[in-house]
Amino acid sequence: MAALLGMDVRDLRARIESNRSREFLYLKRKAQPALATQIKALRIPGIDSRREYRRYYPAGEVAAHVVGFTNIDEAGQEGMELAFDHWLTGVPGRKRVLKDRNNRMIKDLSLIQDAAPGKEVRLSIDLRLQYLAYRELKAAVTAHRARGGTLVMLDVDTGEVLAMVNQPSYNPNNRSTREPSSMRNRAITDLFEPGSTVKPLTVALALESGRYTATTEIDTSPGYIRVGGFTIRDHRNYGILDLTGIIAKSSNVGTSRIALDLSGERVQEMFSRLGFGQSTGIGFPGEAIGVLPARVKWRPAEVAALSYGYGMSVNALQLTQAYMALANGGVRYPSTLLRQDTQPVGERVMSEPVALSVQNMLRAVVEEGTGKRAQLGIYQSAGKTGTVHLVGANGYEASQYKSIFAGLAPADRPRVACVVIVDAPQGNQYFGGEVAAPIFSRVVGDALRLLNVRPAKNVRTVDMPVAGSQAQWLAGGPKQ
């Protein structure tokens, strides 16, 4: 028996001897039926078996971070298994029986309590899109030798999560190879500075204020600005830009001038309305809400940094939720992993004309700006690139980045909002437009086809760019 169980005979004897005062001892749980048959065939006195059931996850590592897993007693430990453990767990029945001295049941006497099965949970995840997103993200993380990655896709009209994948992942059906670092759902538990991906939100505030229009021109010369002892730089001197140009060129100077004109309080209030610094409402275990500073007195440098996504932290789902509001005309819905049978109630966070105007500006990023590799072929897309320095033990890492692309599609009538993040890509390509945007293109383009979304009649296409040259460092963060 010890040989079949893969145990040392002395250890097995010691376990049995130490259990003399009790009547029961598990030798092995969740054993394969074939192994149980072999051990029972030995006919060793006192050895018996009992039927148990084991959770099996058909999607394996593809949906592991969302679904989670249970322990050996089928109690939820991670993910939705943990969040809805009370809902999924059934209630065992009880009855009064008559047994003999060998514990064999002779007769049922009465029923004390009926057994109640656990209830079902229907997730909003579209498994087709989940597999697609997982495949493309894993391939990109491998190709760029990155530390990890995340992709989140939302239905912009309901807030339902259609896909949520992370790298690295794990197989919940094989518990012997799990690493703690690969088990967390990075889309919800990991925080980062969003960088240039929040510039469209600052521009939305400018439009909402009434002091700016899409054609308002801002002088970004000579390509940098001194704010409170700090120098904020653009990739080069873009001269005079309208608001569309500021987003398309990803001008730190232009965004900073807008924020300094409007005040830090108003920028913070807009970001708060869009869901930063607060829960997404998803109810997932371990959600990190991030940091959105609220100063009594704002320093000019803090206002400028906030306008282009530094000095704050968000998770990937929060950023996707903000772009969902841009996509659906200014309404923020609570994010959910549960399938919605009725239309949820959302909160209007910006006017529809402002949201539509920013959508048009985001098209320019994909058509002629830093996000050309996010084009979808037969569909139009819109979005914003971002590249931020990773934070290490001694502050910002000089040569480590997080590559981000946040977008929506189709641009003429958005159906999905999607955020792609790649941690610490290695090599010459590390800008969001070079690393994250192509993943967005492959995943969202195929997703729209799977969702039977009709493309626009006239689609403008632009030649895909060749990989860019070595980047120039900017005090306000990389240009994309």
Side-chain angles (χ1 to χ4, degrees):
M1 183 171 67
L4 288 173
L5 292 173
M7 299 175 63
D8 182 81
V9 177
R10 289 172 296 183
D11 292 341
L12 180 57
R13 288 185 185 278
R15 285 188 62 189
I16 296 173
E17 290 291 336
S18 65
N19 197 64
R20 280 183 177 275
S21 61
R22 288 171 288 184
E23 297 180 351
F24 177 79
L25 170 68
Y26 276 119
L27 294 177
K28 186 177 182 66
R29 295 189 64 183
K30 308 292 184 180
Q32 295 293 330
L35 176 60
T37 301
Q38 287 180 285
I39 293 177
K40 289 175 66 177
L42 297 176
R43 299 183 180 279
I44 299 174
I47 300 299
D48 200 1
S49 65
R50 60 183 293 183
R51 184 185 297 271
E52 288 189 315
Y53 296 90
R54 180 179 177 180
R55 214 45 143 221
Y56 177 72
Y57 301 95
E61 63 185 63
V62 173
H65 291 115
V66 173
V67 177
F69 60 90
T70 62
N71 63 13
I72 198 168
D73 292 313
E74 307 304 340
Q77 301 297 295
E78 290 286 347
M80 299 300 279
E81 289 275 25
L82 174 59
F84 286 86
D85 184 62
H86 65 289
W87 184 261
L88 295 166
T89 301
V91 178
R94 298 171 61 209
K95 63 182 179 180
R96 184 175 288 107
V97 299
L98 183 66
K99 293 185 176 182
D100 66 11
R101 66 178 184 175
N102 293 320
N103 206 34
R104 292 176 299 193
M105 189 174 69
I106 298 174
K107 185 179 180 180
D108 283 338
L109 298 179
S110 63
L111 178 65
I112 299 174
Q113 177 180 307
D114 281 325
K119 302 178 182 65
E120 69 174 20
V121 171
R122 295 188 303 156
L123 299 186
S124 62
I125 295 293
D126 186 322
L127 202 52
R128 302 170 302 169
L129 309 189
Q130 185 82 356
Y131 272 106
L132 170 64
Y134 184 83
R135 180 191 70 193
E136 296 298 340
L137 182 67
K138 185 175 183 178
V141 167
T142 301
H144 289 282
R145 306 191 311 278
R147 188 181 302 166
T150 295
L151 185 149
V152 179
M153 186 186 300
L154 293 179
D155 185 318
V156 302
D157 294 321
T158 64
E160 292 174 299
V161 179
L162 300 177
M164 179 180 285
V165 296
N166 301 279
Q167 281 294 312
S169 187
Y170 66 96
N171 184 357
N173 298 310
N174 183 3
R175 308 188 180 200
S176 63
T177 59
R178 288 188 309 216
E179 293 289 337
S181 61
S182 68
M183 290 165 55
R184 69 181 188 271
N185 188 350
R186 296 165 180 252
I188 294 175
T189 64
D190 285 18
L191 299 173
F192 60 94
E193 290 179 309
S196 296
T197 56
V198 303
K199 288 177 181 176
L201 310 182
T202 303
V203 169
L205 173 64
L207 295 173
E208 186 179 82
S209 71
R211 302 174 65 172
Y212 296 84
T213 67
T215 57
T216 299
E217 294 183 337
I218 296 176
D219 189 359
T220 66
S221 300
Y224 61 87
I225 181 176
R226 291 283 295 175
V227 179
F230 297 90
T231 302
I232 297 170
R233 300 182 184 275
D234 283 339
H235 183 61
R236 62 181 178 83
N237 182 8
Y238 295 116
I240 296 176
L241 296 174
D242 60 13
L243 296 194
T244 301
I246 286 174
I247 292 181
K249 302 296 184 183
S250 198
S251 171
N252 294 325
V253 174
T255 313
S256 298
R257 288 192 182 279
I258 292 173
L260 291 169
D261 178 45
L262 297 176
S263 81
E265 289 85 351
R266 297 184 67 176
V267 175
Q268 191 272 348
E269 192 270 337
M270 168 60 88
F271 288 0
S272 178
R273 264 190 280 153
L274 288 163
F276 297 149
Q278 55 193 281
S279 173
T280 60
I282 199 167
F284 196 89
E287 180 183 7
I289 64 173
V291 175
L292 179 62
R295 312 290 189 207
V296 175
K297 184 176 181 180
W298 288 85
R299 294 185 299 171
E302 293 172 333
V303 176
L306 191 66
S307 73
Y308 53 78
Y310 279 78
M312 60 182 292
S313 61
V314 303
N315 63 43
L317 182 58
Q318 287 174 325
L319 185 58
T320 315
Q321 194 178 51
Y323 271 72
M324 171 185 67
L326 289 176
N328 64 25
V331 178
R332 179 165 70 94
Y333 294 107
S335 299
T336 179
L337 282 162
L338 302 180
R339 188 179 303 173
Q340 301 296 294
D341 295 323
T342 59
Q343 179 63 33
V345 177
E347 174 190 2
R348 179 159 294 282
V349 293
M350 70 177 68
S351 68
E352 187 172 9
V354 168
L356 293 177
S357 182
V358 175
Q359 282 184 33
N360 289 328
M361 295 178 187
L362 291 175
R363 290 195 197 193
V365 176
V366 175
E367 293 176 354
E368 56 195 46
T370 58
K372 292 180 181 178
R373 294 188 180 186
Q375 293 176 38
L376 304 181
I378 64 172
Y379 298 100
Q380 291 178 321
S381 59
K384 184 71 187 74
T385 57
T387 310
V388 296
H389 292 287
L390 291 177
V391 179
N394 300 313
Y396 290 112
E397 297 285 351
S399 59
Q400 296 293 318
Y401 307 91
K402 190 180 291 285
S403 303
I404 311 169
F405 186 85
L408 45 98
D412 56 308
R413 190 188 181 283
R415 173 71 185 277
V416 299
C418 181
V419 166
V420 181
I421 301 168
V422 178
D423 290 328
Q426 305 301 307
N428 293 327
Q429 293 188 343
Y430 48 82
F431 284 132
E434 296 172 329
V435 178
I439 305 172
F440 174 93
S441 174
R442 291 190 292 270
V443 173
V444 175
D446 287 345
L448 294 177
R449 284 186 281 273
L450 289 170
L451 293 171
N452 294 321
V453 177
R454 179 178 296 180
K457 292 182 180 179
N458 299 313
V459 179
R460 177 185 175 188
T461 59
V462 181
D463 292 336
M464 300 296 283
V466 180
S469 58
Q470 191 71 18
Q472 297 184 10
W473 300 106
L474 310 172
K479 79 179 183 74
Q480 297 188 43

